[in-house]
């Protein structure tokens, strides 16, 4: 099937200057309608090999010149660009890319004749490519009516949303209209959109500007049906504005790279970026039936892949016939995404605009509130499962394809949004400082709990900069060991810094515990920080270009330090603070309670367990940081523990490291436990390799750590219940995932089958029919529900063991035995206990009226009156404060039935994943 594309584009003649050993070669090529036709031809050819549903036919407006040699740079009927090319290093070879566009000259006039008008009328789709030259100034009164009911793809160029053609286009109905725009062009308007800080912050800024602040400059992004915002080779944002519905927002990105980082690693430029995206999007539009949503996912992913591979390949700089671009890379990318075995690169993540609207509204009421969300928190994995994968397989492998941003600076890796933002900001600060001529030191502060890795983080960041001609040498001074009454030691330290600078290197100076001695040292740094010099006696010495890193010893975060310096005016605290250019709060392996909440709680109002639970609620992603540390520290220091890329570690040992409530000295405690374990000649980290409990007590709660190793006893109703580790069967993560899907299936079936009032009438056949339809948790499942499903699945063996059941393979000799009514009731009650504790761990609290947006739930109450009397013993002191425990507050029969039906489905779920339950011990009768 043939489809006509009318291409209305600026026409540009590229005069390409190629350096050679004998001077420069020059060749020309046409960009505009002719290059678009070249892209269309290549894409048609690629799809003929896998899917020949449609063939796109371009319809150029202006005539193709008869002979290229007849065109000269003086020809006023063309736009001219003068382009210099350069060979850039690319791996072990080199690639030709544009180094500079020297000058662009505009044509004297443009052609849009009667024939062009007729071609536009008959086209199936119109592609407008505004490159900021002449077509934007067309005055075509009839074009609005011609575009009214057609699909139009409009590629914008700065200054965007300007010109006669744009005004005519904007006057038509936004339906069937698609805008292509660069993120940087939106930043050029009256907007506040961050760059390179974190993907979460950039997304939040864009969505708030468009849909919350209703920025008038971005009005077109709310009226056109489809918006494609390009972040270069790293990401794209798709907005689908649906009539009378909230917009659908989808984000495609490289989780391992920040905005602009890929381009920095592959310098130079090749034309045709958004031109390629426009043609791929056009094919999806033309290949979709009327009144159906356009599925642009594959087109966007293909564009990102093709753009990268094209840049890596570079150009052919002497092919006058076919142009400079090697379009074979496009064909390869199409096969990778549209072929029979598609890859998963740039798999998108969906964003809910209502979430951003709600958080923005809260900020308008309370300016101190912050939007604490992350793409990591949106993963379909529960965080414990993901942490296990990271620890076993390494973060780069485990997080690949899961839309979880990760920052890597040499040996420093983090997936925590807060740390990523701190690190990216400091990287930008240091890079900018090293490339300017300032002799004033760059002063930054770093805070964190003892042993959190403050100096390690900054040193790794500095090593990762790789700026040509810049060599950094680090040096450390501990100010707590200096005499504040006689600053001779400090002056000697300044001289040591000056010596490094005089040698031509950049000193990276760590002033450790700078906040010790009641901030007595701050006043000595004012002149060096401000002017880059210090006075010793009557002599003034210039320190030269240097980076000062002030590492906190008594303050664990910048917020605490800011409060402390306000009371230290005699020590020049506020003056010192004003000279800092940036800071980072290093998180470490323990959950962090924000400083404001720490102050509110106070030191003595909560017991240690409750305080740790509060910290976990505020910082659930600590377990991911901890898993990264487990993998990186063991892989780096004990490489024999890694086999085929996987860390060899006992399941119980890993569980204890991930679940230990607190490491007393942060990362330093983890390192010490590893060093005191007997690992020198081991190829697997076993339980017997650990140091004795008495030694562990120096760094963790040793008894609790060893309990986590074995999980021999679980306390229900205040007593010890029988526990067996899945009858020696280790359920892997893929099995846990399938079980989590089964839990979602039974819960969904309750409501979709209309059996909410009597869910226990659901049959095994009904359940399996629903279960087999699902290959994963539905896209867009809220993170809380994802976590609940995984946690429930992981706890099934534990609940079964509590009533005397174990799990064996389906083909085992043991007979599968169903639950007795008493066992079903007890398991349902245990499921409720699990559900309550997990919800409270996730930050929920009781309310008589359920409110998901504020994490309030009416089911956070005891199962029955007997359980209510023993609530503290059953649930724990850290949980009952969040429950409803007033007289008469017990679980309704509706909620009990939900627990019962989930319990009813356990044997069905196990059977589906290849296991069965067998009775190991009779459940005691009451």
């Amino acid at each position: 099937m043939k489809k006509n594309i009318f291409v209305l584009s600026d026409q540009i003649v590229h005069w390409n200057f190629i350096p050679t050993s004998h001077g420069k070669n020059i060749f020309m090529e046409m960009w505009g309608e002719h290059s678009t036709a070249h892209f269309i031809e290549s894409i048609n050819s690629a799809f003929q090999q896998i899917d020949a549903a449609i063939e796109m036919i371009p319809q150029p407006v202006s005539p193709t010149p008869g002979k290229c040699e007849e065109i000269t740079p003086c020809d006023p009927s063309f736009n001219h660009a003068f382009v210099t090319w350069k060979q850039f290093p690319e791996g072990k070879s080199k690639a030709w890319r544009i180094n500079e566009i020297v000058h662009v000259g505009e044509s004297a006039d443009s052609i849009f004749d009667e024939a062009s008008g007729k071609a536009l009328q008959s086209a199936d789709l119109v592609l407008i490519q505004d490159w900021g030259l002449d077509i934007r100034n067309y005055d075509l009164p009839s074009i609005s009516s011609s575009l009214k009911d057609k699909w139009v793809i409009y590629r914008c160029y700065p200054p965007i949303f300007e010109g006669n053609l744009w005004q005519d286009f904007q006057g038509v109905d936004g339906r069937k209209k698609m805008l292509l725009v660069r993120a940087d062009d939106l930043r050029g308007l009256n907007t506040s959109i961050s760059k390179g800080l974190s993907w979460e912050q950039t997304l939040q800024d864009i969505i708030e500007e468009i849909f919350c602040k209703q920025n008038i400059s971005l009005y077109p992004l709310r009226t056109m049906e489809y918006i494609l915002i390009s972040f270069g080779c790293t990401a794209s944002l798709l907005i689908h504005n649906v009539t009378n519905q909230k917009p659908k927002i989808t984000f495609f990105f490289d989780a391992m790279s920040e905005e602009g980082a890929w381009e920095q690693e592959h310098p130079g430029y090749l034309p045709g970026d958004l031109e390629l995206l426009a043609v791929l999007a056009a094919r999806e539009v033309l290949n979709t039936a009327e009144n159906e949503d356009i599925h642009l996912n594959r087109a966007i992913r293909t564009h990102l892949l093709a753009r990268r591979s094209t840049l890596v390949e570079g150009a052919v700089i002497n092919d006058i016939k076919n142009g400079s671009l090697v379009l074979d890379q496009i064909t390869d990318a199409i096969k990778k995404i549209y072929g029979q075995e598609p890859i998963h690169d740039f798999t998108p993540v969906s964003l809910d605009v209502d979430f951003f609207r709600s958080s923005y509204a809260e900020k308008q009421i309370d300016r101190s509130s912050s939007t604490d969300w992350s793409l990591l928190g949106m993963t379909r994995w529960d965080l414990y499962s993901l942490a296990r994968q990271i620890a076993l397989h390494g973060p780069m492998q485990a997080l690949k394809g899961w839309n979880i941003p990760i920052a890597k600076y040499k040996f420093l890796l983090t997936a925590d949004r807060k740390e990523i933002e701190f690190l990216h900001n400091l990287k930008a600060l240091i890079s900018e400082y090293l490339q300017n001529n300032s002799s004033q030191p760059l002063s930054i502060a770093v805070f964190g709990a003892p042993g959190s890795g403050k100096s390690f983080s900054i040193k790794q960041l500095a090593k990762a900069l790789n700026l040509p001609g810049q060599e950094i040498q680090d040096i450390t001074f501990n100010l707590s060991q200096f005499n504040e009454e006689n600053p001779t030691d400090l002056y000697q330290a300044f001289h040591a810094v000056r010596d490094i600078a005089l040698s031509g290197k950049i000193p990276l100076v760590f002033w450790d515990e700078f906040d010790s001695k009641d901030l007595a040292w701050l006043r000595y740094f004012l002149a060096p920080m401000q002017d880059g010099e210090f006075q010793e006696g009557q002599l003034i010495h210039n320190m030269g270009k240097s980076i000062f890193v002030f590492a906190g010893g008594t303050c664990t975060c910048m917020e605490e330090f800011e409060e402390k310096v306000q009371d230290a005016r005699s020590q020049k605290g506020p003056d010192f603070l004003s000279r800092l250019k940036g800071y980072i709060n290093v998180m470490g392996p323990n959950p962090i309670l924000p400083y404001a909440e720490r102050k509110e709680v106070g030191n003595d109002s909560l017991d240690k367990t409750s305080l740790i639970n509060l910290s976990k609620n505020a910082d659930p992603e600590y377990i991911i940081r901890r898993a990264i540390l487990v993998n990186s520290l063991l892989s780096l220091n004990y490489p024999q523990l890694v086999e085929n890329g996987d860390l060899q570690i006992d399941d119980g040992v890993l569980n204890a490291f991930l679940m230990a409530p607190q490491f007393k000295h942060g990362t330093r405690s983890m390192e010490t436990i590893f060093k005191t374990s007997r690992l020198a000649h081991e190829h697997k980290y076993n339980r017997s390799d650990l140091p004795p409990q008495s030694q562990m007590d120096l760094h963790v709660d040793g008894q609790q750590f060893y309990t986590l190793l074995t999980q021999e006893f679980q306390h229900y109703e205040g007593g010890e219940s029988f526990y067996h580790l899945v009858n020696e069967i280790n359920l892997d993560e893929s099995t846990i995932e399938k079980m989590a899907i089964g839990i979602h299936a039974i819960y969904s079936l309750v409501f979709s089958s209309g059996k909410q009032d009597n869910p226990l009438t659901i049959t095994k056949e009904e359940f399996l029919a629903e279960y087999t339809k699902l290959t994963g948790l539905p896209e867009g499942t809220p993170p809380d529900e994802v976590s609940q499903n995984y946690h429930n699945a992981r706890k099934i063996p534990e609940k079964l063991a509590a009533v005397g059941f174990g799990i064996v393979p389906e083909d085992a000799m043991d007979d599968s035995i169903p639950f007795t009514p008493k066992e079903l009731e007890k398991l349902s009650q245990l499921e409720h206990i699990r559900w309550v504790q997990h919800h409270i761990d996730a930050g929920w609290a009781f309310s008589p009226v359920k409110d998901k947006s504020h994490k309030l739930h009416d089911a956070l109450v005891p199962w029955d009156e007997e359980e209510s009397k023993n609530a503290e013993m059953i649930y724990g002191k850290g949980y009952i404060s969040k429950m409803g425990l007033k007289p008469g507050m017990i679980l309704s029969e509706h909620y009990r039935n939900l627990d019962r039906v989930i319990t009813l489905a356990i044997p069905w779920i196990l059977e589906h994943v290849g296991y069965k339950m067998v009775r190991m011990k009779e459940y005691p009768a009451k």
Side-chain angles (χ1 to χ4, degrees):
M1 182 188 304
K2 294 184 177 181
K3 297 284 188 176
N4 294 324
I5 298 180
F6 182 88
V7 182
L8 180 57
S9 175
D10 284 318
Q11 310 299 310
I12 304 178
V13 180
H14 270 209
W15 297 96
N16 297 305
F17 292 77
I18 313 299
T20 69
S21 58
H22 305 292
K24 292 183 184 294
N25 286 339
I26 302 175
F27 79 96
M28 61 83 67
E29 62 179 323
M30 300 290 296
W31 280 90
E33 294 159 1
H34 310 288
S35 58
T36 302
H38 196 191
F39 277 113
I40 290 175
E41 179 185 353
S42 176
I43 290 170
N44 281 340
S45 175
F47 276 104
Q48 283 174 1
Q49 301 175 37
I50 56 176
D51 173 15
I54 66 166
E55 180 183 2
M56 296 181 288
I57 308 297
Q59 297 179 328
V61 175
S62 59
T64 304
K67 295 181 179 179
C68 289
E69 56 265 27
E70 294 180 0
I71 304 175
T72 72
C74 300
D75 191 335
S77 60
F78 290 95
N79 302 300
H80 300 275
F82 300 91
V83 181
T84 61
W85 291 74
K86 175 183 175 180
Q87 277 192 304
F88 291 89
E90 190 62 59
K92 296 181 179 180
S93 60
K94 292 185 176 181
W96 283 104
R97 295 192 279 264
I98 292 174
N99 186 45
E100 186 179 9
I101 297 179
V102 181
H103 173 71
V104 174
E106 293 189 34
S107 65
D109 52 24
S110 303
I111 300 174
F112 188 88
D113 53 20
E114 184 178 348
S116 301
K118 290 181 179 178
L120 186 150
Q121 289 280 2
S122 62
D124 297 295
L125 179 144
V126 178
L127 174 55
I128 300 175
Q129 294 188 138
D130 175 6
W131 287 338
L133 297 172
D134 47 9
I135 69 166
R136 65 169 47 198
N137 298 316
Y138 279 5
D139 187 9
L140 305 171
S142 63
I143 197 169
S144 293
S145 59
S146 301
L147 300 179
K148 183 177 181 181
D149 296 318
K150 290 185 183 298
W151 269 104
V152 183
I153 299 177
Y154 197 118
R155 184 259 194 255
C156 302
Y157 190 90
I160 59 177
F161 310 148
E162 292 186 11
N164 295 333
L165 182 61
W166 170 258
Q167 296 304 323
D168 289 334
F169 171 75
Q170 193 177 19
V172 301
D173 190 340
R175 287 173 296 179
K176 293 189 175 182
K177 304 301 179 285
M178 185 184 301
L179 290 185
L180 272 60
V181 62
R182 297 182 190 278
D184 279 342
D185 296 341
L186 297 179
R187 293 184 176 108
L189 299 176
N190 182 28
T191 62
S192 298
I193 301 173
S194 60
K195 182 176 182 178
L197 194 60
S198 70
W199 285 120
E200 289 92 343
Q201 189 61 56
T202 299
L203 290 170
Q204 183 176 320
D205 292 343
I206 288 179
I207 294 170
E208 286 186 354
E209 288 284 340
I210 299 172
F211 299 109
C212 302
K213 297 179 183 178
Q214 301 279 304
N215 190 317
I216 191 65
S217 300
L218 302 181
Y219 175 75
L221 306 189
R222 297 190 292 275
T223 59
M224 303 302 164
E225 186 168 355
Y226 288 93
I227 311 297
L228 269 171
I229 301 173
S230 173
F231 296 86
C233 294
T234 322
S236 290
L237 180 67
L238 171 63
I239 299 174
H240 181 196
N241 292 309
V242 187
T243 305
N244 297 325
Q245 297 181 34
K246 67 181 181 182
K248 299 176 181 178
I249 304 175
T250 314
F251 186 50
F252 308 75
F253 72 112
D254 178 358
M256 306 295 172
S257 183
E258 63 185 292
E259 183 180 356
W262 201 91
E263 286 84 351
Q264 289 177 3
E265 294 174 2
H266 306 270
Y269 166 75
L270 287 180
D273 183 5
L274 292 191
E275 196 170 3
L276 168 61
L277 178 57
V279 175
L280 288 166
R283 186 189 181 278
E284 289 294 339
V285 169
L286 296 173
N287 203 33
T288 303
E290 189 72 21
N291 299 323
E292 288 186 1
D293 286 346
I294 312 298
H295 297 291
L296 295 168
N297 289 14
R298 291 187 297 180
I300 295 169
R301 294 171 59 216
T302 300
H303 165 255
L304 289 166
L305 275 180
R307 184 61 181 166
R308 285 187 166 194
S309 56
T310 302
L311 278 166
V312 169
E313 180 70 19
V316 177
I317 46 81
N318 55 5
D319 192 341
I320 298 176
K321 179 181 177 182
N322 296 314
S324 56
L325 294 191
V326 182
L327 299 187
D328 290 344
Q329 306 299 322
I330 299 174
T331 302
D332 292 342
I334 288 172
K335 290 178 179 178
K336 288 178 180 178
I337 300 298
Y338 288 86
Q340 293 183 349
E341 297 182 1
I343 64 174
H344 300 290
D345 294 41
F346 296 107
T347 300
V349 59
S350 297
L351 304 170
D352 186 353
V353 71
D354 285 344
F355 168 79
F356 295 95
R357 285 170 170 161
S358 174
S359 62
Y360 179 77
E362 288 181 12
K363 282 191 292 185
Q364 302 314 297
I365 298 171
D366 180 6
R367 293 290 179 179
S368 64
S369 67
S370 61
T371 305
D372 190 13
W373 75 283
S374 67
L375 289 163
L376 168 59
M378 295 175 62
T379 177
R380 69 181 181 84
W381 289 86
D382 74 296
L383 294 182
Y384 177 80
S385 298
L386 189 60
R388 283 177 53 83
Q389 296 301 297
I390 291 170
L392 292 172
H393 309 303
M396 303 302 285
Q397 181 62 35
L399 298 180
K400 187 177 181 181
W402 290 112
N403 293 323
I404 297 170
I406 185 169
K408 184 177 186 295
Y409 294 102
K410 291 296 184 181
F411 293 111
L412 172 64
L413 293 95
T414 180
D416 189 286
R417 175 187 170 179
K418 301 182 190 72
E419 283 195 330
I420 288 174
E421 290 182 351
F422 283 133
L423 290 168
H424 286 347
N425 182 53
L426 288 188
K427 174 192 173 186
L429 276 174
I430 296 173
S431 297
E432 181 70 20
Y433 172 75
L434 293 179
Q435 295 177 79
N436 65 34
N437 295 322
S438 173
S439 60
Q440 179 190 51
L442 174 66
S443 299
I444 58 179
V446 54
F447 298 97
S452 58
K454 296 186 286 291
S455 61
F456 175 80
S457 298
I458 299 298
K459 288 176 182 177
Q460 296 303 308
L461 176 62
K463 290 178 181 178
L465 294 176
N466 290 327
L467 292 175
Q470 304 279 6
E471 184 178 353
I472 296 176
Q473 179 177 331
D474 63 81
I475 186 169
T476 301
F477 303 101
N478 192 315
L479 293 175
S480 67
Q481 299 175 5
F482 288 9
N483 182 356
E484 70 274 20
E485 300 300 331
N486 181 9
T488 303
D489 290 342
L490 181 62
Y491 294 143
Q492 291 178 355
F494 284 155
H495 279 294
V497 173
R498 187 168 181 265
D499 290 343
I500 295 173
L502 289 172
S503 72
K505 299 176 182 178
I506 307 294
L508 178 65
V509 192
F510 284 88
W511 302 107
D512 206 6
E513 299 194 53
F514 79 99
D515 52 352
S516 61
K517 306 289 182 71
D518 294 322
L519 305 181
W521 290 111
L522 301 191
R523 64 183 186 274
Y524 292 104
F525 285 98
L526 298 184
M529 293 168 73
Q530 182 66 35
D531 304 314
E533 58 188 30
F534 65 97
Q535 182 173 354
E536 184 179 16
Q538 299 301 312
L539 297 178
I540 295 178
H541 304 278
N542 190 289
M543 301 187 70
K545 202 175 186 71
S546 54
I547 302 170
F548 285 3
V549 180
F550 295 96
T554 62
C555 298
T556 58
C557 64
M558 172 57 88
E559 295 80 5
E560 185 177 359
F561 178 68
E562 283 183 299
E563 187 174 287
K564 189 173 182 179
V565 298
Q566 297 307 318
D567 298 326
R569 296 186 179 275
S570 62
Q571 306 292 355
K572 300 295 184 180
D575 292 336
F576 176 90
L577 191 64
S578 69
R579 287 164 167 77
L580 292 176
K581 300 300 189 293
Y583 75 96
I584 177 174
N585 291 333
V586 177
M587 308 294 284
N590 291 323
I592 303 295
L593 190 64
Y595 181 62
E597 293 186 38
R598 268 191 283 155
K599 284 179 58 182
E600 186 177 332
V601 168
N603 295 325
D604 304 317
S605 60
L606 286 179
D607 60 85
K608 184 177 179 180
T609 301
S610 298
L611 192 60
I612 289 175
N613 283 336
L614 274 179
S615 301
K616 288 180 178 180
N617 292 340
D619 180 27
E621 294 165 11
Y622 80 94
I623 196 170
I624 303 299
R625 300 195 300 270
R626 192 176 284 187
I628 292 174
L629 281 170
V630 168
N631 181 272
S632 58
L633 291 174
L634 288 175
S635 300
L636 187 64
N637 298 312
Y638 307 94
Q640 78 276 9
L641 295 178
V642 180
E643 182 179 324
N644 298 322
D646 293 342
L647 182 65
Q648 304 302 303
I649 184 170
D650 176 83
D651 187 68
V653 174
L654 176 57
N655 183 65
F657 275 111
L658 293 179
M659 298 302 291
Q662 188 179 43
F663 289 91
K664 295 179 180 179
H665 310 294
T667 306
R668 200 174 296 140
S669 286
M670 295 183 73
E671 288 182 299
T672 303
I673 294 173
F674 295 152
K675 288 177 181 178
T676 54
S677 296
R678 293 180 288 274
L679 298 176
H681 305 290
E682 297 296 328
H683 294 278
K684 182 177 181 180
Y685 198 159
N686 292 301
R687 303 179 192 190
S688 57
D689 298 323
L690 287 163
Q693 181 178 320
S694 59
Q695 299 299 310
M696 296 286 285
D697 282 334
L698 296 172
H699 302 284
V700 291
D701 182 327
Q703 182 179 358
Q704 199 166 32
F705 191 92
Y706 272 89
T707 299
L708 289 167
L709 277 178
T710 58
Q711 291 286 349
E712 289 184 349
F713 300 103
Q714 291 294 313
H715 292 271
Y716 294 115
E717 295 183 304
E720 297 176 352
S721 65
F722 172 81
Y723 184 83
H724 194 276
L725 259 180
V726 203
N727 199 29
E728 303 305 324
I729 288 178
N730 182 23
L731 298 176
D732 58 30
E733 296 304 324
S734 62
T735 302
I736 294 294
E737 180 180 6
K738 292 175 184 176
M739 293 166 68
I741 296 167
I743 290 163
H744 171 82
I746 187 65
Y747 192 83
S748 299
L749 187 60
V750 171
F751 298 95
S752 63
S753 65
K755 295 185 176 182
Q756 300 97 312
D757 295 333
N758 195 5
L760 295 178
T761 59
I762 291 175
T763 65
K764 177 180 178 181
E765 291 70 28
E766 289 175 317
F767 166 72
L768 292 177
E770 180 74 13
Y771 195 178
T772 52
K773 290 190 298 185
L774 298 174
T775 57
L777 294 177
E779 188 174 334
T781 303
D784 275 354
E785 293 181 21
V786 172
S787 180
Q788 277 291 333
N789 290 329
Y790 272 86
H791 189 260
N792 195 339
R794 195 174 296 283
K795 289 294 185 179
I796 283 177
E798 185 176 312
K799 290 185 294 182
L800 288 175
V803 293
F805 280 86
I807 297 176
V808 297
E810 196 172 20
D811 58 1
M813 296 295 292
D814 308 75
D815 292 329
S816 178
I817 300 174
F819 299 127
T820 66
K822 185 188 299 182
E823 290 165 345
L824 178 66
E825 190 71 3
K826 176 49 62 176
L827 279 169
S828 302
Q829 185 176 354
L830 296 180
E831 164 55 22
H832 179 63
I833 294 170
R834 181 210 66 80
W835 182 92
V836 168
Q837 290 177 333
H838 192 259
H839 262 68
I840 292 174
D841 284 341
W844 290 70
F846 171 76
S847 171
V849 179
K850 184 164 67 173
D851 182 353
K852 286 187 176 182
S853 63
H854 293 90
K855 289 194 171 184
L856 301 174
H857 209 297
D858 57 333
L860 291 171
V861 293
W863 178 268
D864 53 22
E865 292 291 354
E866 183 180 350
E867 192 177 274
S868 181
K869 296 175 185 176
N870 302 292
E872 182 175 337
M873 186 166 47
I874 294 170
Y875 289 93
K877 188 182 294 184
Y879 293 98
I880 60 172
S881 62
K882 300 290 185 179
M883 295 175 64
L885 293 175
K886 292 182 179 179
M889 285 186 177
I890 60 172
L891 197 65
S892 69
E893 197 65 16
H894 166 72
Y895 284 128
R896 288 186 190 181
N897 279 335
L898 292 180
D899 291 320
R900 288 165 181 151
V901 75
I902 288 173
T903 303
L904 181 71
I906 286 177
W908 306 339
I909 293 171
L910 290 174
E911 181 181 323
H912 190 73
V913 298
Y915 293 96
K916 62 184 177 182
M917 58 184 203
V918 296
R919 183 170 279 115
M920 311 274 300
K921 179 180 178 181
E922 288 294 329
Y923 180 66
K926 281 192 175 181

